[in-house]
């Protein structure tokens, strides 16, 4: 098999820097496509955390001025796979997060930071760095989306893939930023980077890329509609057959209950009875009452997307039915306060950790009975996949990747032994309360519950099929070019 050389352009990747699922996916992709003849190199911005992990690295290229600031390219490793890091101190050497400062305000120069990142990635993909040649560029989300546009306006024939992990974030800026992006005048056009009179990064990438993917088949259909397309539905529809839905897998080296070092007690399909030790440990860790009743967990960004406002309304109902809730998350300040208030109202029944804690998220998947994911939209979603792998039954809204990965415990699915979770019809008080009622009723039947857990643990959440789907797509685009 010939090796295709792909440059994956992402603004975050596990294990170096993570704010959400994009990092899990970008971190897992090189290993997912490797068995299918793809040699993937990842390029990341040189945030302090990334540079610290890199240690003493070799500089392989330099730009005297990248959209106005000097930058160099460092070589390193992302796990076992090649990594390039854009060290541009003026853009990336700052305290705070990758996209926002410590007070959660977006950096005012994000357009220049990620414009520069994409410009550099386009140069690298097109062969500017000796010893690093590529057959295709794969850009993830708006932060990388200008890469296909830069390639296009540089006249490069290199094929490119643009993956949408979340249509809600588009990188939309005023027309005044256009001159500083260093694109030819003609790029400021309706079929170029222009969007509602300004510059749209994601829009530009979707126009320029050879193919578009998103992270589940259902979301690929949903973004053709006004409800989910967030203004770009017309463009998505116009690209027709070139839009593909490829569902995310999970990294089973990081997420395996049989070998997970974070757990109080490891377990597997054949040793499911051992799992209860993790539940007791989790109850103790959260200061919750300890009993056999259902323990719900939530691990999420606290945002409107994730339906957390509706969960806040349903908590009293959940507790009234004998349920308990442990939540780990951060985000919207009003939601954080709401969950703190719920915990104060229901001591021993509801407990909240505000913050980001990777190891705790593993312990929660291992100790919770069910994980609640009531998202209003969810391109793929990963926490329900981790739930499946860990016997933590997902209770999800029927949208995007949640609809594609969780089989609802309706009568037919239960009879066929296919049920892996509970789907809720809508993100409303009534629908979520109903899904919680159904979950609690199922949990009262231990044999049925165990069958649902087992079916989930056996379901295919690996990267196998999707790794091949990406590789096949790359190969078809390279061939067509
Ligand atoms: P999104 O990327 O939209 O936030 P995903 O479900 O795709 O949603 O991915 C979220 C990722 O971030 C998962 O790996 C999840 O476990 C993790 N995560 C979210 N919030 C937290 C948190 N507070 N602490 C630890 N991990 C978290
Ligand atoms: C985005 C989406 C999430 C998806 C993740 C990885 O953050 O919100 O649904 O799982 O990207 O593709």
């Amino acid at each position: 098999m010939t090796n295709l050389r792909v440059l994956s352009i992402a603004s975050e990747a596990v294990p170096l820097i993570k704010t959400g699922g994009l990092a899990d996916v970008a971190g897992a992709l090189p290993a997912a496509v490797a068995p299918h003849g793809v040699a993937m190199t990842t390029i990341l911005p040189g945030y302090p955390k990334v540079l610290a992990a890199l240690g003493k690295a070799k500089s392989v290229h330099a730009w005297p001025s990248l959209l106005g600031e000097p930058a160099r390219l460092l070589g390193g490793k992302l796990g076992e796979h090649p990594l390039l890091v854009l060290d541009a101190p003026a853009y990336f050497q700052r305290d705070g997060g990758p996209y926002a400062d410590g007070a959660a305000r977006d950096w005012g120069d994000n357009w220049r930071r990620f414009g520069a990142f994409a410009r550099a990635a386009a140069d690298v993909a097109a062969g500017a760095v000796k010893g690093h040649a590529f057959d295709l560029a794969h850009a993830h989300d708006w932060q990388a989306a200008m890469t296909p546009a830069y390639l296009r306006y540089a006249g490069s024939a290199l094929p490119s893939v643009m993956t949408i992990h979340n249509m809600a974030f588009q990188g939309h800026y005023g027309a005044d930023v256009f001159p500083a992006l260093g694109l030819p005048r003609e790029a400021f056009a309706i079929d170029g980077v222009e969007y509602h009179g300004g510059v749209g990064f994601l829009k530009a990438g979707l126009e320029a890329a050879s193919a578009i993917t998103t992270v589940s088949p259902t979301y690929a259909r949903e973004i053709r509609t006004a409800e989910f397309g967030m203004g770009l539905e017309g463009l998505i529809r116009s690209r027709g057959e070139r839009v593909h839905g490829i569902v995310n897998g999970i990294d089973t080296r990081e997420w395996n209950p049989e070998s997970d070092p974070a757990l109080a007690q490891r377990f597997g399909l054949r040793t499911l009875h051992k799992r209860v030790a993790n539940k007791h440990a989790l109850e103790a860790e959260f200061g919750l009452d300890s009993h056999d009743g259902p323990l719900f967990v939530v691990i999420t960004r606290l945002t409107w997307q994730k339906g957390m406002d509706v969960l806040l309304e349903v908590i009293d109902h959940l507790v009234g039915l004998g349920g308990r809730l442990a939540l780990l998350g951060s985000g919207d300040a009003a939601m954080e306060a709401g969950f703190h208030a719920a915990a104060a109202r229901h001591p021993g029944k509801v407990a909240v950790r505000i913050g980001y804690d990777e190891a705790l998220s593993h312990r929660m998947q291992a100790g919770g009975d069910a994980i609640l994911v009531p998202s209003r939209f969810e391109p793929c979603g990963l926490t329900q996949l981790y739930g499946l792998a860990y016997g933590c039954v997902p209770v999800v809204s029927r949208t995007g990747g949640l609809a594609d990965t969780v089989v609802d415990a309706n009568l037919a699915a239960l009879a066929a032994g296919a049920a892996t979770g509970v789907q809720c019809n809508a993100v409303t008080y009534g629908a979520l309360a109903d899904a919680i009622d159904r979950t609690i009723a199922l949990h009262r039947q231990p044999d049925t519950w165990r069958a649902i857990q087992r079916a989930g643990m056996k379901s295919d959440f690996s990267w196998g099929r999707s790794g091949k789907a990406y590789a096949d797509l790359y190969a078809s685009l390279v061939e067509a070019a």
Side-chain angles (χ1 to χ4, degrees), residues 21-22 25 165-166 215 248 301 305-306 378-382:
L22 166 63
V25 174
H165 293 267
N166 197 333
V215 286
N248 292 329
R301 294 186 284 119
Q305 173 191 345
K306 303 293 180 178
E378 197 61 78
C380 180
L382 293 171

Side-chain angles (χ1 to χ4, degrees), residues 18 20-21 24 299-301 306 328-329 355-357 381-383 386:
K18 167 168 168 176
D24 297 79
I299 304 157
T300 191
R301 294 186 284 119
K306 303 293 180 178
L328 168 63
Y356 191 92
D357 188 333
L382 293 171
T383 60
Y386 301 141

Side-chain angles (χ1 to χ4, degrees), residues 43 81 147 172-173 194 251 292 337 471:
I43 182 167
H81 299 273
T147 305
H172 191 194
Y173 302 102
E194 190 270 329
D251 189 334
D292 292 340

Side-chain angles (χ1 to χ4, degrees), residues 65-364:
S65 170
L66 194 59
L67 306 199
E69 299 289 347
R72 52 184 197 144
L73 194 66
L74 306 175
K77 288 265 174 198
L78 183 68
E80 296 131 39
H81 299 273
L83 173 72
L84 295 169
V85 172
L86 184 66
D87 180 21
Y91 297 137
F92 302 120
Q93 278 279 17
R94 18 182 119 163
D95 297 335
Y99 320 122
D101 65 15
R105 282 180 305 246
D106 278 359
W107 299 112
D109 59 348
N110 272 346
W111 64 272
R112 195 190 285 273
R113 301 170 73 227
F114 292 103
F117 177 55
R119 162 89 262 182
D123 288 355
V124 174
V129 182
K130 241 179 84 189
H132 295 266
F134 295 97
D135 304 303
L136 183 140
H138 183 171
H140 301 272
D141 273 354
W142 73 266
Q143 298 92 335
M146 289 298 280
T147 305
Y150 279 119
L151 284 168
R152 170 182 172 191
Y153 292 106
S156 166
L158 196 81
S160 56
V161 172
M162 180 74 237
T163 294
I164 305 162
H165 293 267
N166 197 333
M167 201 61 136
F169 304 105
Q170 299 186 354
H172 191 194
Y173 302 102
D176 52 319
V177 312
F178 179 74
L181 290 171
L183 286 161
R185 237 168 208 294
E186 83 238 31
F188 196 76
I190 187 93
D191 67 343
V193 310
E194 190 270 329
Y195 186 53
H196 291 304
V199 173
F201 276 33
L202 182 61
K203 187 262 181 177
L206 296 174
E207 286 282 0
S210 323
I212 296 167
T213 72
T214 188
V215 286
S216 69
T218 294
Y219 195 62
R221 284 193 301 276
E222 287 171 339
I223 56 176
R224 299 168 62 84
T225 68
E227 186 184 354
F228 295 94
M230 311 255 170
L232 290 173
E233 58 275 8
L235 170 49
I236 293 294
R237 282 200 302 270
S238 78
R239 304 244 28 210
E241 302 280 284
R242 297 202 160 253
V243 184
H244 310 261
I246 303 177
V247 75
N248 292 329
I250 70 175
D251 189 334
T252 47
R253 292 163 307 181
E254 289 284 321
W255 290 93
N256 179 349
E258 286 181 293
S259 58
D260 191 331
L263 308 192
Q265 172 67 59
R266 293 177 203 158
F267 63 95
L269 205 47
R270 268 180 215 87
T271 51
L272 199 49
H273 59 279
K274 291 188 181 172
R275 195 178 183 279
V276 67
N278 294 306
K279 179 168 176 178
H280 293 321
L282 194 64
E283 289 164 343
E285 184 167 3
F286 271 89
L288 290 166
D289 299 346
S290 186
H291 57 75
D292 292 340
L295 172 57
F296 291 88
V297 298
V298 173
I299 304 157
T300 191
R301 294 186 284 119
L302 296 175
T303 64
W304 185 86
Q305 173 191 345
K306 303 293 180 178
M308 287 295 113
D309 49 326
V310 179
L311 177 62
L312 270 171
E313 293 170 13
V314 180
I315 285 186
D316 294 355
H317 177 79
L318 183 154
V319 171
L321 291 173
R324 286 158 300 152
L325 175 71
L327 176 136
L328 168 63
S330 64
D332 185 281
M335 288 182 190
E336 293 183 1
F339 283 107
H340 276 310
R345 241 179 11 254
H346 300 294
K349 308 284 191 288
V350 174
V352 172
R353 291 277 179 286
I354 299 299
Y356 191 92
D357 188 333
E358 189 75 29
L360 177 56
S361 76
H362 286 240
R363 295 196 292 278
M364 292 172 76

